[in-house]
Amino acid sequence: MTEQAPAAATERPDIPGKSIAASRTTLSHIMTHGDTNLLGTVHGGVIMKLVDDAAGAVAGRHSGGPAVTASMDEMAFLEPVRVGDLVHVKAQVNWTGRTSMEVGVRVLAERWNESTPATQVGSAYLVFAAVDADGKPRQVPQVIPETEQDKRRYQEAQIRRTHRLARRRAIMELRAKRAAEGFED
């Protein structure tokens, strides 16, 4: 695979590019009994909301205004989270298109009363679309990966985007074929 560099900021002269570090953020939250499921661990939906909150903050920061969640994929729950855990949700923009951006999120947890290092308990990738006051798509600044890790994440995000678009295209083709054959969905 050839290395693709991000589009030059000169392609959007009216919108200067931004580094990944410019909008990176961490949200932290202590888990309580109100966050638990029937098994006594933190409900996956609570973690997903924290992921969406952190990703939304990053997308809004990067785009300079409102951004809405378009999709969430590859949400992985790696370890259970328990009551009393201090959860840190770290998010950053990995890739930008014209009006959309992929945000990568890592979820870490540490015991509130111990001095042990935080453990990664989850991760996800979300796609956000920047919108104007009327809810219409608006352009976003091009992301500028600076470190080798940022460049790797940018390239991986391009692969995920290609897969998302191919999956959508395949599904739409199948639906069109079934509709032509007289099947209703």
Side-chain angles (χ1 to χ4, degrees):
M1 178 176 157
T2 60
E3 184 173 326
Q4 290 184 334
T10 56
E11 291 181 18
R12 298 179 198 169
D14 54 329
I15 303 175
K18 288 185 178 179
S19 71
I20 287 174
S23 58
R24 185 178 288 141
T25 195
T26 300
L27 297 180
S28 297
H29 186 79
I30 193 158
M31 298 292 107
T32 66
H33 288 286
D35 299 319
T36 60
N37 59 26
L38 295 175
L39 299 174
T41 56
V42 173
H43 195 287
V46 170
I47 300 299
M48 289 174 74
K49 180 172 185 334
L50 293 173
V51 164
D52 193 43
D53 287 346
V58 166
R61 271 182 164 178
H62 182 83
S63 69
V68 296
T69 310
S71 70
M72 174 188 269
D73 59 40
E74 298 184 36
M75 180 72 210
F77 297 101
L78 307 173
E79 297 283 335
V81 178
R82 293 177 170 71
V83 170
D85 282 355
L86 181 58
V87 173
H88 308 285
V89 184
K90 298 177 176 276
Q92 71 175 42
V93 173
N94 290 334
W95 174 91
T96 53
R98 194 176 64 76
T99 62
S100 65
M101 60 207 112
E102 183 194 90
V103 178
V105 181
R106 285 183 27 168
V107 183
L108 305 155
E110 61 181 300
R111 297 302 298 164
W112 66 274
N113 60 347
E114 297 176 8
S115 60
T116 56
T119 302
Q120 184 171 352
V121 296
S123 64
Y125 299 101
L126 296 88
V127 176
F128 279 79
V131 295
D132 63 18
D134 297 322
K136 304 289 185 212
R138 63 182 175 81
Q139 285 192 347
V140 299
Q142 185 67 39
V143 71
I144 303 169
E146 296 174 317
T147 68
E148 288 305 311
Q149 191 175 41
D150 290 346
K151 291 173 186 173
R152 176 189 56 79
R153 288 180 175 152
Y154 183 91
Q155 291 173 329
E156 290 174 359
Q158 288 179 308
I159 293 167
R160 283 187 292 275
R161 180 176 187 272
T162 299
H163 287 214
R164 279 190 292 269
L165 293 174
R167 182 179 60 230
R168 182 185 331 157
R169 202 169 26 256
I171 289 169
M172 297 310 289
E173 288 170 4
L174 178 62
R175 288 180 182 174
K177 179 182 173 192
R178 289 190 48 83
E181 294 172 351
F183 293 102
E184 290 185 38
D185 285 339

